[in-house]
Amino acid sequence: MMKATRGSLLGIEHLEAGEILKILTLARRMNPQKPQTLLRGKKVLLLFYEASTRTRSSFEIAAKSLGAMTTLVLSSGSSIEKGESLLDTGYTLRGVGADVIVMRHPHAGAPHLMAQHLDIPVINAGDGMHEHPSQALLDAYTILRRKKTFKGLQIAIVGDIYHSRVARSNIHLLSKFGAKITLAGPPELLPETAATLAPGLHIVRTAEEAVRGADVVMVLRVQKERLAGMKISLQDYIARYQITLQRLKLAKKDALLMHPGPIIRGLELTWEVADCPQSMIVEEVRNGVIVRMAILARALGKAK
Amino acid sequence: MKDRKENHSLLIKNGRVIDPAAKIDALLDVLLRDGQVAEVAPPGKTRGTAHEKIEARGLVVAPGFLDIHVHLREPGQSYKESVASGTAAAAAGGFTSVCCMPNTQPVVDSADWVTWLQQPERGAVVNVFPIAAATKASKGGTLTDFRSLQRAGAVAITDDGKPILGDDIMRDALRLASEINLPVIQHAEDTRMTEHCSMNEGPTSFRLGLHGMKTIAEASVVERDVQLATQFAGARLHVAHLSTADALKAVRKGKRSKAHITCEVTPHHFTLTDADIRDYDANFKMNPPLRSQADREAMLAGLADGSIDAIATDHAPHAPQEKIIEFERAAFGITGLETAIGLSISQLHLGHKIPLPRIVELFTAGPARVIGLRGRGTLVRGSHADVTIFDPKKRWTYDASKSRSRSHNSPFDGWAMTGKVVATIVGGRVVYRGD
Ligand SMILES: [Zn+2]
């Protein structure tokens, strides 16, 4: 594979199962409630070319909980706006002393380019439609807290899979551990090609088929703007794919409901579903900090 | 230039002469004199002496290669390439003639620019035949003045880089060009379907999270153009850088009709597929994009069976700041002049058992016929003294950093290939000598 500094986390696809388990095991020892000094003196650069509330604050709190310094660089109001190239921005951040760069970028592959040219680890905090590895890891962590193993778990992923980096990362991760994954969505948001992403993927065209008997129901955000200009209307989408309490009942009794956020109540899921006892939405956010602490510790060689 | 050509003679001895246009494949000597092919005769049987001799035992002696799809980037973008640097790369790749595309700054849409490209000050090392824009500034609105462009030396018209999209304007272009026997070259892409796309649509684009171009965006334009071309007797439609099985089907159908339909395929489209795009390396980004394995196999079949007329490189140099950036933001296009023959022999001859004479035809008689370049693409007596000598067995490794092109954006950097140019001869003079 490509050349990237040890400790980089660019995606789940090329990460070995053993490496994933190591991160999840390390996460179990992390506690943001008890401040640590593991990364004292380290500089974590948060480079965000896209707006983000949860991922950004999650990485920031994770870094600070380990005693690191964080600096946030946003594309607006910086030299990036003046046309500086991605790599020149990277060299600048390296020059001011960054030990690791956490980056979010609207273009797929941007972190890979950065990682190929810098001698410090790069962590992908979401690149275009490609991957969002820290989200998949925190989802995996959340699932493992409730289920003994991934093997044989029935996972339903419902919504806009085509545009979703979360879906791609989760599919890669869960299929590596033998989960059975069913994808549901309209053809415009879930083309048949999606089935080629990992072995054994199933595609269905109703929420019911995906949810029935599922151990985990992952709901993805659907942007209204994306439905505009498609054959499917908002009403049709809701009628066919919205996760309601009634539909959720088709899943196993102890099924988990997950959503990477931000959620839009009344669109991809109902108000009641978001707050139901099976909902992991808040727990995912909580676990996000823990898992990102592990990702940062690993990046900076402190994964003991 | 002219007086240098005169009183000069060059004898190429003992080579395997492959001249598909003349149906020749035999051990022969070739004598070039005063810028023309003077004689092709059995070894030792040419009459008269020569100033200069080249021993070609074990080598193939072919008519000078023609590349009918090259971006020389002048006027206006000499930071990417110039006529001088681009033709130097062409010579190193065995090409004695190149047709250059008009998508420059400004667009070559006037007789003045066509003339300018051919001036000796440009420093061309091989023959340059400009292709002019079909519409003003290639904006697809108003047709250019085909007659005056042709008089100035334009050998075809195109809006390459973009398609000629409107039905009416394409119909008019074919009709007016048919009156003066000028080929219309189409970059077949329905851009209404390919917005925001940076590669082919398929499993790889889905995996990489990149928007993909559907093959129908190419095929539908070719189908329409074939329809339009059949409406005018004498219309000549040439499909540039054909890349999909469906578009090839449309070309084959067109060839069965009375219309004059031709097409070219690039070495990268018969060598690579979209699955080869690694790590978002923009040196694998071009338009049309690398396609599926099924499309690649269709190209290989078309090259073998004769339905594809020419191999053309679509040599598209770009500066590092346009390529070593985010994949989706990177410019489309790769260099190709220096790797074409190596890839063709490696992939087509060694890999797919296509005979050498057919490969030579795709570089010579085929493209000469497409453009209608008289006295080129063959070694019959009286032809231009353009000759390409290559070693079909020589193994070598391409080093893009040593390219004669001003740009180094090649996906084949570090590739081992078989088949290398030994000498490139233009107008009877050696312009490139390989090692
Ligand atoms: Zn083109």
Side-chain angles (χ1 to χ4, degrees):
Chain A
M1 272 322 291
M2 59 169 285
K3 142 181 151 258
T5 302
R6 230 180 122 83
S8 290
L9 177 65
L10 300 176
I12 299 294
E13 187 189 357
H14 300 292
L15 213 55
E16 281 170 29
E19 194 63 21
I20 292 169
L21 289 176
K22 254 195 236 167
I23 297 171
L24 297 178
T25 309
L26 182 63
R28 255 186 256 140
R29 304 211 312 267
M30 295 294 168
N31 183 356
Q33 260 39 275
K34 285 195 196 148
Q36 293 178 44
T37 54
L38 198 62
L39 300 187
R40 190 166 51 194
K42 298 291 184 186
K43 298 179 193 74
V44 176
L45 252 299
L46 304 162
L47 175 59
F48 276 68
Y49 286 79
E50 242 181 27
S52 156
T53 312
R54 88 192 47 222
T55 305
R56 199 185 90 192
S57 56
S58 183
F59 267 112
E60 189 168 348
I61 288 167
K64 286 184 167 146
S65 304
L66 291 170
M69 270 168 60
T70 63
T71 303
L72 177 65
V73 177
L74 299 173
S75 54
S76 56
S78 72
S79 50
I80 297 161
E81 238 179 10
K82 295 168 195 148
E84 185 176 68
S85 78
L86 179 66
L87 286 180
D88 284 324
T89 301
Y91 296 141
T92 302
L93 299 182
R94 177 72 184 101
V96 300
D99 294 297
V100 57
I101 293 178
V102 176
M103 68 179 279
R104 157 75 55 100
H105 200 285
H107 289 304
H112 304 65
L113 181 71
M114 194 74 111
Q116 270 177 316
H117 290 86
L118 290 190
D119 60 351
I120 52 171
V122 173
I123 292 167
N124 180 3
D127 62 325
M129 308 193 300
H130 179 225
E131 282 225 43
H132 194 346
S134 65
Q135 179 71 40
L137 287 165
L138 74 88
D139 283 342
Y141 183 87
T142 306
I143 294 169
L144 273 193
R145 299 266 298 187
R146 306 279 171 150
K147 313 279 175 196
K148 282 193 186 68
T149 168
F150 296 116
K151 194 151 184 67
L153 281 189
Q154 300 264 10
I155 314 265
I157 306 180
V158 185
D160 181 358
I161 287 154
Y162 177 73
H163 294 97
S164 175
R165 50 193 172 213
V166 175
R168 284 179 182 77
S169 285
N170 266 315
I171 290 167
H172 285 308
L173 193 151
L174 295 167
S175 69
K176 276 181 209 281
F177 291 98
K180 295 192 192 116
I181 305 169
T182 304
L183 311 173
E188 294 95 330
L189 303 178
L190 173 57
E192 291 293 330
T193 342
T196 62
L197 194 63
L201 293 181
H202 288 283
I203 289 181
V204 295
R205 301 299 180 192
T206 62
E208 280 86 357
E209 288 170 272
V211 172
R212 189 169 289 122
D215 297 285
V216 176
V217 178
M218 290 186 164
V219 190
L220 299 173
R221 183 164 66 119
V222 172
Q223 287 178 264
K224 264 187 209 165
E225 318 83 76
R226 294 226 161 104
L227 291 175
M230 288 188 178
K231 278 186 219 127
I232 188 163
S233 70
L234 185 60
Q235 284 73 25
D236 289 345
Y237 183 86
I238 289 172
R240 243 179 142 76
Y241 298 104
Q242 187 185 59
I243 301 303
T244 60
L245 280 180
Q246 210 175 0
R247 280 178 175 150
L248 195 56
K249 282 201 188 96
L250 296 170
K252 294 225 176 85
K253 279 224 153 51
D254 58 351
L256 309 178
L257 178 101
M258 305 181 77
H259 192 306
I263 63 171
I264 305 172
R265 293 172 192 247
L267 212 169
E268 68 267 15
L269 77 183
T270 60
W271 183 279
E272 297 79 21
V273 165
D275 300 325
C276 76
Q278 287 158 278
S279 171
M280 297 287 110
I281 298 173
V282 175
E283 193 168 323
E284 284 172 83
V285 176
R286 206 178 302 129
N287 291 340
V289 177
I290 294 166
V291 169
R292 288 176 176 120
M293 286 169 76
I295 291 169
L296 288 168
R298 169 182 175 269
L300 294 167
K302 304 288 183 183
K304 300 265 158 43
Chain B
M1 272 300 269
K2 198 150 197 173
D3 45 273
R4 278 182 61 210
K5 267 184 201 170
E6 278 155 23
N7 299 318
H8 182 267
S9 54
L10 172 65
L11 179 66
I12 304 160
K13 288 166 44 182
N14 302 314
R16 174 180 171 190
V17 173
I18 300 181
D19 183 3
K23 298 202 164 51
I24 289 172
D25 180 0
L27 289 182
L28 294 165
D29 285 359
V30 177
L31 179 65
L32 309 176
R33 187 185 292 135
D34 301 342
Q36 291 192 337
V37 177
E39 225 184 317
V40 180
K45 297 278 198 262
T46 53
R47 288 156 293 169
T49 51
H51 295 102
E52 204 184 333
K53 286 174 189 166
I54 294 181
E55 174 58 52
R57 198 178 296 274
L59 306 177
V60 172
V61 177
F65 290 176
L66 295 97
D67 189 346
I68 58 176
H69 196 138
V70 172
H71 297 272
L72 292 180
R73 303 299 189 208
E74 280 194 301
Q77 296 175 316
S78 53
Y79 68 96
K80 297 178 196 250
E81 193 77 285
S82 66
V83 174
S85 64
T87 54
F95 293 102
T96 57
S97 297
V98 295
C99 298
C100 59
M101 288 296 172
N103 62 334
T104 47
Q105 280 174 4
V107 168
V108 176
D109 59 2
S110 70
D112 284 349
W113 282 119
V114 172
T115 306
W116 183 87
L117 276 166
Q118 300 166 95
Q119 286 164 348
E121 292 84 347
R122 301 291 86 72
V125 185
V126 307
N127 306 303
V128 172
F129 297 100
I131 294 171
T135 67
K136 297 249 167 72
S138 283
K139 287 205 163 112
T142 329
L143 290 178
T144 51
D145 184 349
F146 295 177
R147 279 175 202 276
S148 83
L149 292 166
Q150 189 182 42
R151 265 198 304 273
V155 293
I157 53 131
T158 188
D159 279 347
D160 186 49
K162 297 176 193 170
I164 308 167
L165 211 49
D167 292 349
D168 291 339
I169 195 105
M170 185 57 180
R171 186 182 294 113
D172 287 348
L174 284 164
R175 180 171 54 80
L176 290 167
S178 76
E179 291 168 7
I180 53 173
N181 197 29
L182 199 63
V184 178
I185 301 177
Q186 178 70 295
H187 166 119
E189 175 192 358
D190 189 336
T191 45
R192 292 165 297 196
M193 292 185 218
T194 57
E195 231 189 319
H196 307 302
C197 294
S198 52
M199 65 173 293
N200 184 50
E201 185 187 64
T204 305
S205 68
F206 189 86
R207 190 169 54 79
L208 294 177
L210 296 169
H211 295 293
M213 302 185 191
K214 294 181 194 307
T215 56
I216 180 83
E218 176 175 280
S220 62
V221 172
V222 176
E223 279 162 20
R224 182 211 56 182
D225 290 349
V226 167
Q227 279 291 321
L228 293 176
T230 54
Q231 293 174 16
F232 308 105
R236 293 167 60 187
L237 170 71
H238 178 67
V239 183
H241 43 50
L242 184 101
S243 67
T244 64
D246 288 340
L248 180 58
K249 215 178 281 174
V251 166
R252 284 201 180 103
K253 203 173 136 209
K255 279 176 185 271
R256 285 195 294 272
S257 77
K258 270 186 223 140
H260 190 284
I261 314 284
T262 55
C263 68
E264 74 198 24
V265 167
T266 70
H268 47 276
H269 285 113
F270 66 66
T271 303
L272 300 169
T273 70
D274 56 0
D276 292 308
I277 301 174
R278 297 259 176 268
D279 305 329
Y280 298 92
D281 181 350
N283 284 337
F284 289 82
K285 178 180 177 181
M286 72 295 284
N287 190 9
L290 297 173
R291 301 287 190 180
S292 68
Q293 179 61 13
D295 288 312
R296 175 178 171 241
E297 276 162 21
M299 298 307 108
L300 290 164
L303 288 160
D305 72 19
S307 31
I308 291 162
D309 299 271
I311 291 170
T313 65
D314 192 7
H315 175 81
H318 289 293
Q321 65 269 24
E322 297 160 325
K323 281 303 222 184
I324 309 176
I325 57 172
E326 298 89 324
F327 192 87
E328 288 174 286
R329 294 182 60 223
F332 287 102
I334 61 168
T335 59
L337 286 164
E338 295 167 324
T339 47
I341 187 65
L343 291 171
S344 296
I345 289 174
S346 305
Q347 295 292 323
L348 303 180
H349 185 54
L350 300 179
H352 291 84
K353 307 290 166 235
I354 298 179
L356 278 181
R358 171 62 186 147
I359 293 170
V360 170
E361 182 181 24
L362 286 159
F363 279 103
T364 57
R369 218 158 35 223
V370 168
I371 301 296
L373 292 175
R374 256 177 260 130
R376 300 197 195 270
T378 177
L379 292 175
V380 296
R381 225 181 117 168
S383 310
H384 293 276
D386 296 346
V387 183
T388 301
I389 305 174
F390 64 94
D391 182 345
K393 296 205 170 92
K394 170 103 171 175
R395 289 184 56 82
W396 62 292
T397 300
Y398 183 59
D399 179 353
S401 71
K402 298 212 171 82
S403 175
R404 280 161 176 78
S405 167
R406 200 159 283 179
S407 297
H408 303 152
N409 51 307
S410 167
F412 302 112
D413 187 27
W415 269 50
M417 41 191 113
T418 303
K420 197 170 189 305
V421 176
V422 173
T424 307
I425 298 159
V426 176
R429 298 272 177 178
V430 177
V431 297
Y432 170 82
R433 208 64 207 251
D435 32 74

